[in-house]
Amino acid sequence: MAHLAMIGAPMLRLPRTKGLQARFLHWTSLQTMQQEWRVKGIVFSELVGFLDKAGGPAFAEKVLGDAGLEHGGAYTRVGQYPWQEAVRVVEAASRESGAEFADLCNQFGSYLFERFTVLYADIVGRYETAEELLSHVGDHIHEEVRVLYPDARPPEVRAHSEGSTLRVEYSSHRPFAHIAHGLVAGAMKHFGDDRTLKWITASEDGSQAEFALTG
């Protein structure tokens, strides 16, 4: 049994998500794997790295084997892959480890931000606080992502302050709200923001959500 709860970000309270997981898997069976629904390979290669860090190489290999992937999980950073494969990989990790599907998504999001501080240090390094970075995801950071990856379709992220509270809105054509939550948590940890991260709303399919940094 892999101890996935040991991964980086502090474990934050999450909403009940078993029904949401079922909806993810329902979408997996119904949606055609069209180009516009694909995800850049760097996300998949980092997902494999997350599994390796969480449970070791044997665990990662077992999860990828159990996920039923056509290519066996041999992802390249420059490739593009259906988002449904990410769901299958996390579902397999959940079965193998006993960890909740949503918790794994959250932990992967936090791990992914930690990796971004290495892979895109020049971008992250321009900001001094989590609030400053989150406030510029849509107008600065994602524009730079499009320069690096012209065919990328990043989610829409908007943030606005209400006194000491920062509200972050996430919207995507992929159901990755829990990963987005983990990314925000990872940014908070990186910049030493000790506010509490709360869920405000979440769509049933996981494609939209709103979070609040409070306290």
Side-chain angles (χ1 to χ4, degrees), residues 20 48 53 94 96 105-106 116 126 155 161 181 213-214:
L20 187 57
V48 175
K53 182 177 180 181
S94 177
E96 179 67 18
C105 289
N106 182 74
F116 285 168
R126 296 173 191 172
S161 298
H181 182 276
L213 285 65
T214 65

Side-chain angles (χ1 to χ4, degrees), residues 131 134-135 158-163 165-169 210:
E131 181 160 340
L134 292 168
S135 297
R158 299 184 181 90
H160 63 276
S161 298
E162 296 178 354
T165 296
L166 180 71
R167 300 177 77 93
V168 180
E169 299 176 4
E210 183 176 3

Side-chain angles (χ1 to χ4, degrees), residues 86-123:
V87 173
R88 291 205 295 270
V89 170
V90 177
E91 183 199 16
S94 177
R95 289 195 303 267
E96 179 67 18
S97 67
E100 287 289 337
F101 181 92
D103 288 350
L104 293 178
C105 289
N106 182 74
Q107 291 180 51
F108 172 58
S110 183
Y111 169 88
L112 191 58
F113 186 87
E114 178 184 346
R115 291 289 296 145
F116 285 168
T117 66
V118 176
L119 297 170
Y120 308 113
D122 56 331
I123 296 177

